Amino acid sequence: QKEVEQDPGPLSVPEGAIVSLNCTYSNSAFQYFMWYRQYSRKGPELLMYTYSSGNKEDGRFTAQVDKSSKYISLFIRDSQPSDSATYLCAMTPSNTGKLIFGQGTTLQVKP
Amino acid sequence: EAGVTQFPSHSVIEKGQTVTLRCDPISGHDNLYWYRRVMGKEIKFLLHFVKESKQDESGMPNNRFLAERTGGTYSTLKVQPAELEDSGVYFCASSRFNPGPTHEQYFGPGTRLTVT
């Protein structure tokens, strides 16, 4: 069983929709949770970073962590075609340790 | 501030040959990581340098892979001899040392390795 599970999609939504991306994990030691965005043929770009449980908002993006359920989410409001990319969740138990990635969800936002 | 750079962007080699990948981290970042993504799978950790020292090399698949970071600046990852299953995209990431609860790893664009 993988430590981090993420539905690879693809997920297709119309422009302006609210997008919900999710990951589940099995290791209760994870403390740091990240969302990366990756465009085709590019490296992952850090979008959001959350320490422990709670919510974090940055513009149109909101990250949620529910450690009791071992479940993290990324919400994108008013989605734009430029949001079309692969979204990767990643997590780690320590602040300098290796990241454990989900497989990534491919998102397409149609104009 | 320049980002993480990797060279080459793409390498095609034959099975049994040697390839060396290079990563230049963001200036001032003591932590340097190597990751790999093989087709259809998630990005997986290979190893972690703190300055020139290997902090964690638990993800290195076998002794055909050798990573170095002389002088604590750039790093190289050598694969010798390459096998077909080594094909994939190799990412390098770096982060600044920070004792607080922050952990931001910045990734390079990756090197796409194809072994034929």
Side-chain angles (χ1 to χ4, degrees), chain B residues 2 16-18 27 31 34 52 55 59-60 64-66 86 89 91 100-101 103 105 107 112:
Chain B
Q17 291 185 324
T18 297
S27 178
N31 293 296
W34 284 98
E52 66 273 12
Q55 182 76 13
M60 295 288 265
R64 295 186 292 104
F65 289 75
L66 175 64
D86 301 332
V89 182
F91 291 105
H103 187 62
Q105 291 187 23
F107 281 74
R112 185 173 298 272

Side-chain angles (χ1 to χ4, degrees), chain A residues 6 32 43-44 48 53 58 65 67-69 94 100 103:
Chain A
Q6 184 177 10
Y32 303 82
M48 302 282 289
S53 284
D58 184 2
V65 175
K67 292 189 70 181
S68 63
S69 300
S94 72
I100 310 299
Q103 195 171 349

Side-chain angles (χ1 to χ4, degrees), chain A residues 14-79:
Chain A
E15 182 176 355
I18 296 175
V19 177
S20 173
L21 304 166
N22 312 292
C23 289
T24 59
Y25 63 94
S26 58
N27 188 344
S28 59
F30 288 144
Q31 295 280 355
Y32 303 82
F33 304 90
M34 282 134 276
W35 285 96
Y36 283 83
R37 177 175 61 194
Q38 186 178 17
Y39 293 112
S40 182
R41 304 281 174 156
K42 301 289 186 182
E45 169 196 11
L46 183 64
L47 267 181
M48 302 282 289
Y49 172 98
T50 308
Y51 170 66
S52 193
S53 284
N55 293 358
K56 188 172 185 177
E57 189 173 320
D58 184 2
R60 296 184 296 110
F61 298 88
T62 300
Q64 287 185 352
V65 175
D66 181 349
K67 292 189 70 181
S68 63
S69 300
K70 296 189 178 67
Y71 188 87
I72 70 171
S73 301
L74 177 71
F75 297 95
I76 307 174
R77 291 182 299 279
D78 188 24
S79 56

Side-chain angles (χ1 to χ4, degrees), chain B residues 45-108:
Chain B
F45 168 81
L46 295 178
L47 88 160
H48 171 203
F49 283 100
V50 178
K51 297 186 179 179
E52 66 273 12
S53 299
K54 292 177 184 174
Q55 182 76 13
D56 180 358
E57 51 185 328
S58 61
M60 295 288 265
N62 51 61
N63 59 10
R64 295 186 292 104
F65 289 75
L66 175 64
E68 294 180 325
R69 192 182 182 194
T70 307
T73 54
Y74 72 91
S75 175
T76 58
L77 180 64
K78 180 189 288 188
V79 184
Q80 179 182 31
E83 298 289 346
L84 298 178
E85 64 264 25
D86 301 332
S87 296
V89 182
Y90 289 77
F91 291 105
C92 176
S94 70
S95 71
R96 188 186 308 275
F97 174 75
N98 190 328
T102 60
H103 187 62
E104 299 181 4
Q105 291 187 23
Y106 297 90
F107 281 74

